[in-house]
């Protein structure tokens, strides 16, 4: 085996010339075999380096490696060129079956939460509700005070809050808003619920009104299968001269019936939220086991319903009759106007509809999960 560096150069230029003058893919493959195949000339040269002394090995080794790299580069270039040429000139001997079904292109789709949000919006809009929006960075006034939760109120503990650092010039407010906002420097936070949109909406629109406001909210809490630091809510508000809790029950029952495409029943349990009086927790009769708490499988065995944890009812949202102090905060006379408000957890709805057992999956960005919807 010649082992001087001149030999490497000769081999390299011979190989490159041959590649360049090659006129078809078959010959090109054969060339590759001859030079860098198992017993190819370049391969054997590289293998023989071990027999040289160290100084020689380094010198010739470098050259030989460069020659191989160059061969591979030229080979790839030529191959591309020949493929294009054969394709354009119709010379390829590959047969194309034009009747074969085409390869399916992967198609994107909406995130399950977006789908749920759109469905919910459509149902409420068909019942005459307008759509409103509010900022995710909210002031203390809108998120708490105006909703009848003053600074010292223990109910503030109901919402674990991400407070934002004070702006450098705290008189210069990030958000435009009410007279109170302008007078008093505000603290800012990531909104802990969509309820502040009630206030923002009523500042602009006078009753009678009905509106929904879906959106992202934030909670400063540890995550687990049922909790995330951000999730989605849909706020609802209806104000009129004689709007009652019975109207609320009818509307929300109709909503669930259309959303789950199954007949259902709703029950209200007394509960406390500072911005409503009375306030209630809303339970929906489990649409999966029709309130029985169990299902019977094919073998005739009783199985606990996993959706309602065999209780037959699912706690689904908070609601109530709007507190007079909330109406006063937007200069609306509570003697003249009344109505209801509610807040539904959209993640909860998605989890129930699709039987998802961990809220974190919704935010994981994991395509194996998302492609199922
Ligand atoms: N904002 C409440 C929460 O995040 C949910 C809620 C309860 C909204 C009662 C309402 C309501 O409008 O009336 O926990």
């Amino acid at each position: 085996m010649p082992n001087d560096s001149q030999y490497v150069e000769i081999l390299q230029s011979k190989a490159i010339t041959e590649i360049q003058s090659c006129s078809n893919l078959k010959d090109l493959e054969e060339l590759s075999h001859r030079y860098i195949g198992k017993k190819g000339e370049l391969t054997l040269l590289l293998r023989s380096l071990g027999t040289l002394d160290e100084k020689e090995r380094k010198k010739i080794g470098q050259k030989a490696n460069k020659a191989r790299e160059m061969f591979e580069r030229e080979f790839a270039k030529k191959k591309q060129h020949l493929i294009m040429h054969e394709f354009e000139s119709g010379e390829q001997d590959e047969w194309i079956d034009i009747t074969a079904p085409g390869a399916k292109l992967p198609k994107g789709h909406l995130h399950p939460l977006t789908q749920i949000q759109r469905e919910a919006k459509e149902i409420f809009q068909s019942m005459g509700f307008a759509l409103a929006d509010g900022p995710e960075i909210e002031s203390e006034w809108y998120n708490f005070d105006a909703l009848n939760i003053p600074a010292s109120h223990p109910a503030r503990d109901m919402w674990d809050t991400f407070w934002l650092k004070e702006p450098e010039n705290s008189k210069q407010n990030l958000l435009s808003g009410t007279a109170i906002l302008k007078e008093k420097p505000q603290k800012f936070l990531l909104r802990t619920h969509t309820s502040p949109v009630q206030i923002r909406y009523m500042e602009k629109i006078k009753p009678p009104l009905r509106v929904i406001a879906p959106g992202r909210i934030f909670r400063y809490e540890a995550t687990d299968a049922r909790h995330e630091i951000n999730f989605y809510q849909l706020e609802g508000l209806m104000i009129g001269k004689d709007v009652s809790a019975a109207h609320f029950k009818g509307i929300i029952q109709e909503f669930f019936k259309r959303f789950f495409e199954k007949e259902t029943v709703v029950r209200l349990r007394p509960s406390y939220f500072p911005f409503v009086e009375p306030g209630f927790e809303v339970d929906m009769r489990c649409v999966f086991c029709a309130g029985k708490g169990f299902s019977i499988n094919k073998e005739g065995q009783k199985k606990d319903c996993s959706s309602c944890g065999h209780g037959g009812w699912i706690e689904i949202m908070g609601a109530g009759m709007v507190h007079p102090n909330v109406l006063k905060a937007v200069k609306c006379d509570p003697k003249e106007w009344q109505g209801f408000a509610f807040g539904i957890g959209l993640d909860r709805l998605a989890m129930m509809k699709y039987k998802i057992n961990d809220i974190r999956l919704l935010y994981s960005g994991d395509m194996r999960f998302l492609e199922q919807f």
Side-chain angles (χ1 to χ4, degrees):
M1 170 69 58
N3 54 17
D4 56 68
S5 53
Q6 221 186 345
Y7 173 73
V8 184
E9 278 161 26
I10 294 168
L11 193 61
Q12 175 176 326
S13 76
K14 189 164 76 115
I16 303 301
T17 321
E18 280 188 60
I19 291 182
Q20 282 167 352
S21 55
C22 193
S23 63
N24 64 62
L25 281 166
K26 205 165 146 252
D27 291 352
L28 189 68
E29 287 304 333
E30 193 271 319
L31 257 181
S32 148
H33 193 68
R34 193 141 54 75
Y35 281 99
I36 57 169
K38 248 193 195 162
K39 292 201 174 126
E41 284 183 76
L42 264 168
T43 312
L44 291 180
L45 172 68
L46 281 159
R47 252 193 240 146
S48 72
L49 292 173
T51 61
L52 301 177
D53 68 44
E54 204 187 322
K55 218 170 123 209
E56 284 283 284
R57 194 188 319 143
K58 212 170 156 199
K59 199 169 110 206
I60 300 185
Q62 265 179 1
K63 280 199 164 186
N65 276 318
K66 274 215 182 99
R68 189 188 160 103
E69 274 169 32
M70 190 156 180
F71 182 91
E72 283 171 352
R73 219 178 314 127
E74 287 299 316
F75 175 83
K77 248 202 295 185
K78 187 73 182 183
K79 188 168 178 181
Q80 180 72 12
H81 175 80
L82 287 176
I83 290 175
M84 287 306 289
H85 175 74
E86 290 193 2
F87 185 74
E88 277 163 13
S89 62
E91 275 171 24
Q92 82 279 18
D93 42 9
E94 235 176 89
W95 179 72
I96 297 178
D97 178 2
I98 55 162
T99 64
K104 249 195 187 166
L105 289 177
K107 211 164 98 190
H109 64 79
L110 293 174
H111 190 280
L113 275 174
T114 312
Q115 293 179 34
I116 292 286
Q117 194 167 316
R118 289 197 180 180
E119 279 170 40
K121 269 198 274 192
E122 257 167 48
I123 298 173
F124 280 112
Q125 283 180 311
S126 77
M127 293 196 274
F129 282 75
L131 190 62
D133 199 7
E136 288 172 359
I137 295 179
E138 198 42 288
S139 70
E140 187 180 11
W141 162 256
Y142 284 109
N143 197 83
F144 290 127
D145 299 65
L147 287 163
N148 197 31
I149 325 168
S152 54
H153 201 294
R156 281 210 182 180
D157 292 345
M158 288 166 76
W159 296 273
D160 301 304
T161 309
F162 281 111
W163 289 95
L164 301 184
K165 277 195 194 142
E166 301 247 329
E168 263 169 35
N169 174 5
S170 54
K171 283 225 168 71
Q172 182 199 334
N173 284 305
L174 293 169
L175 306 163
S176 61
T178 61
I180 292 180
L181 238 181
K182 281 171 199 140
E183 279 160 22
K184 193 175 114 187
Q186 284 289 302
K187 276 167 76 183
F188 291 94
L189 47 85
L190 296 181
R191 67 174 175 191
T192 59
H193 47 182
T194 42
S195 303
V197 189
Q198 290 183 30
I199 304 295
R200 288 183 173 274
Y201 192 75
M202 285 193 286
E203 280 176 347
K204 285 199 223 101
I205 309 287
K206 295 298 155 208
L209 59 89
R210 51 181 110 167
V211 65
I212 52 157
R216 181 184 277 222
I217 63 160
F218 306 83
R219 299 276 170 94
Y220 180 44
E221 41 184 36
T223 57
D224 61 27
R226 310 211 120 230
H227 300 90
E228 250 298 350
I229 56 165
N230 67 174
F231 50 100
Y232 285 82
Q233 271 188 345
L234 183 140
E235 193 76 14
L237 176 71
M238 180 165 173
I239 306 284
K241 297 256 175 192
D242 54 4
V243 175
S244 72
H247 291 120
F248 166 70
K249 202 175 171 195
I251 283 176
I252 214 65
Q253 199 149 299
E254 179 64 18
F255 168 74
F256 287 131
K257 181 179 147 191
R258 292 207 217 161
F259 183 81
F260 288 104
E261 292 165 351
K262 280 188 184 137
E263 205 63 52
T264 187
V265 178
V266 154
R267 76 177 180 193
L268 310 182
R269 275 180 297 113
S271 184
Y272 174 73
F273 298 97
F275 29 89
V276 282
E277 182 56 40
F280 7 91
E281 205 78 60
V282 182
D283 296 339
M284 179 183 81
R285 200 177 65 187
C286 181
V287 285
F288 301 105
C289 65
K292 290 197 295 287
F294 61 84
S295 57
I296 310 276
N297 68 14
K298 277 187 227 130
E299 289 81 44
Q301 292 158 327
K302 244 184 178 183
K303 224 179 131 246
D304 272 357
C305 175
S306 60
S307 299
C308 62
H310 77 258
W313 292 91
I314 296 170
E315 197 181 299
I316 192 92
M317 61 196 279
M321 298 303 292
V322 179
H323 197 290
N325 287 350
V326 172
L327 295 171
K328 281 184 204 155
V330 291
K331 309 213 162 46
C332 185
D333 184 0
K335 290 202 184 81
E336 201 184 339
W337 300 102
Q338 62 176 43
F340 61 78
F342 60 87
I344 315 179
L346 289 174
D347 305 67
R348 200 82 199 281
L349 282 190
M351 289 168 78
M352 280 179 55
K353 188 155 184 168
Y354 300 128
K355 304 221 164 142
I356 300 167
N357 57 13
D358 192 327
I359 186 171
R360 291 167 296 190
L361 284 168
L362 289 167
Y363 300 91
S364 64
D366 186 338
M367 293 310 287
R368 289 167 306 175
F369 167 74
L370 293 173
E371 273 164 3
Q372 298 173 69
F373 301 96

